[in-house]
Amino acid sequence: MRFQRKFRCDFCASTESKPYLKTTKVSWYGKDRFELHSCVNCNLVMAFPRPDRDALYQDFFEGADSAQRTITRKLSRPNVLAVHEKAVERAEGFFKEANDGRRPKVIFDMGFGAGTLMEAARLKEMEAEGNEINLAGVHRMQDLGFNAHHGFTRDLSLEPERFDMVFNFDYLEHSYEPFQDLKTCNALLKGNGILYLKTLYLDCPDHLLKGPNYQLLGQGHFSYFWPRTLLCMFQSAGFEILELRMTGLIYIIAKKVGPPLPKISLNFLDHRYAMVEEKTPLEVHH
């Protein structure tokens, strides 16, 4: 497998990094040791070196047996549809508040996995659209009558400012270009549109407890976020944070307030957040 061995931060474009973690305890690709590097300017943390993206996801693009097994596993998760119904309801409440009580009509799910969030939106009488690199998942949703796109979001020709809400669940940690993907979320949304995002964050309880044995380190995850860096990325991408919840994962609901800033901001100070400790049996990973 080919590897990318030239560091360039997707957020601030710096080419300078410092090692954050090197370990042989985490499964990685080929014979390379798992390493994380931190940008010296903005502290975005990335797996480095990392596999060539297209080669890595070839089986998913072709809908191989492993791709179908992934869909089967995602569909077998307990309460998955109920969880995603609650997520749609939560985002809808923020949308109504930001848009004088108007209900959202059209949503987009970036990296929809098995597509259950899109199904939940349909149950709420919303039009749901999304994209996924797993061809098996795309075929499943197309068979159910959804407009399901095959490919990485930023590689697609999607209509700008079409959607009331965008969902980005368990996606950004898989991205090689997380800031560009946040800007894509902005481009897809109408003014005052809502972005609901869930991803991993460093210094979460499990990371503090387990260190290099943290279960979200390793294969499939290429971007890692300190909360402050992630919030700066949101602000620079043209969003206002409406809610921030931090459990084992970080949940952000944000409103589009304009286009991305012409220059990135590294000084995100005006944010409100709640540390939420409770565990819920309805939690599910996308």
Side-chain angles (χ1 to χ4, degrees), residues 179-191:
F179 182 55
Q180 305 308 315
D181 283 326
L182 284 179
K183 292 197 291 186
T184 297
C185 292
N186 180 294
L188 293 175
L189 283 168
K190 300 174 184 176

Side-chain angles (χ1 to χ4, degrees), residues 74-215:
K74 289 177 177 291
L75 289 173
S76 68
R77 297 168 296 177
N79 303 311
V80 61
L81 188 58
V83 169
H84 286 156
E85 284 188 78
K86 287 182 178 293
V88 172
E89 289 175 358
R90 188 168 192 86
E92 181 181 18
F94 281 90
F95 181 87
K96 287 180 177 178
E97 185 175 342
N99 291 275
D100 299 321
R102 180 169 63 87
R103 291 191 69 237
K105 295 180 179 179
V106 190
I107 71 103
F108 191 89
D109 188 5
M110 291 181 66
F112 59 68
T116 43
L117 191 144
M118 292 166 65
E119 292 182 77
R122 175 182 276 180
L123 290 173
K124 302 292 183 184
E125 299 182 339
M126 301 175 193
E127 180 184 346
E129 192 171 327
N131 76 289
E132 173 59 47
I133 63 170
N134 187 333
L135 186 60
V138 172
H139 285 164
R140 175 180 184 271
M141 298 310 289
Q142 289 174 342
D143 289 344
L144 292 174
F146 289 93
N147 191 2
H149 305 272
H150 185 217
F152 294 100
T153 317
R154 293 201 312 107
D155 294 343
L156 301 172
S157 296
L158 299 169
E159 183 180 347
E161 299 186 353
R162 163 171 159 74
F163 300 96
D164 296 313
M165 303 193 299
V166 169
F167 292 83
N168 188 306
F169 280 6
D170 303 300
Y171 177 99
L172 215 61
E173 65 270 25
H174 298 284
S175 176
Y176 283 19
E177 300 172 310
F179 182 55
Q180 305 308 315
D181 283 326
L182 284 179
K183 292 197 291 186
T184 297
C185 292
N186 180 294
L188 293 175
L189 283 168
K190 300 174 184 176
N192 283 351
I194 295 295
L195 170 60
Y196 192 178
L197 179 140
K198 170 163 67 87
T199 190
L200 58 77
Y201 70 103
L202 298 173
D203 268 3
C204 71
D206 281 350
H207 179 226
L208 290 173
L209 178 66
K210 299 175 182 178
N213 294 318
Y214 174 43
Q215 66 271 21

Side-chain angles (χ1 to χ4, degrees), residues 208-254:
L208 290 173
L209 178 66
K210 299 175 182 178
N213 294 318
Y214 174 43
Q215 66 271 21
L216 295 184
L217 297 175
Q219 291 192 12
H221 293 168
F222 304 104
S223 296
Y224 295 81
F225 309 100
W226 301 107
R228 179 180 176 274
T229 299
L230 186 58
L231 295 175
C232 289
M233 291 170 65
F234 263 77
Q235 184 185 53
S236 298
F239 291 100
E240 175 189 350
I241 305 294
L242 302 180
E243 181 182 74
L244 171 62
R245 292 181 293 134
M246 300 165 70
T247 60
L249 299 169
I250 189 167
Y251 298 76
I252 299 175
I253 296 179

Side-chain angles (χ1 to χ4, degrees), residues 34-99:
F34 178 70
E35 295 186 30
L36 294 178
H37 282 225
S38 178
C39 174
V40 298
N41 185 44
C42 70
N43 290 323
L44 179 63
V45 176
M46 293 180 286
F48 181 79
R50 60 192 184 187
D52 176 80
R53 186 187 74 172
D54 293 336
L56 176 65
Y57 290 116
Q58 182 176 354
D59 285 352
F60 270 30
F61 265 104
E62 296 175 354
D65 289 345
S66 58
Q68 182 59 61
R69 288 195 298 271
T70 298
I71 298 303
T72 300
R73 175 181 60 80
K74 289 177 177 291
L75 289 173
S76 68
R77 297 168 296 177
N79 303 311
V80 61
L81 188 58
V83 169
H84 286 156
E85 284 188 78
K86 287 182 178 293
V88 172
E89 289 175 358
R90 188 168 192 86
E92 181 181 18
F94 281 90
F95 181 87
K96 287 180 177 178
E97 185 175 342
N99 291 275

Side-chain angles (χ1 to χ4, degrees), residues 23-34:
T23 178
T24 59
K25 296 181 180 180
V26 173
S27 177
W28 197 233
Y29 301 92
K31 297 180 180 180
D32 278 67
R33 182 169 61 174
F34 178 70

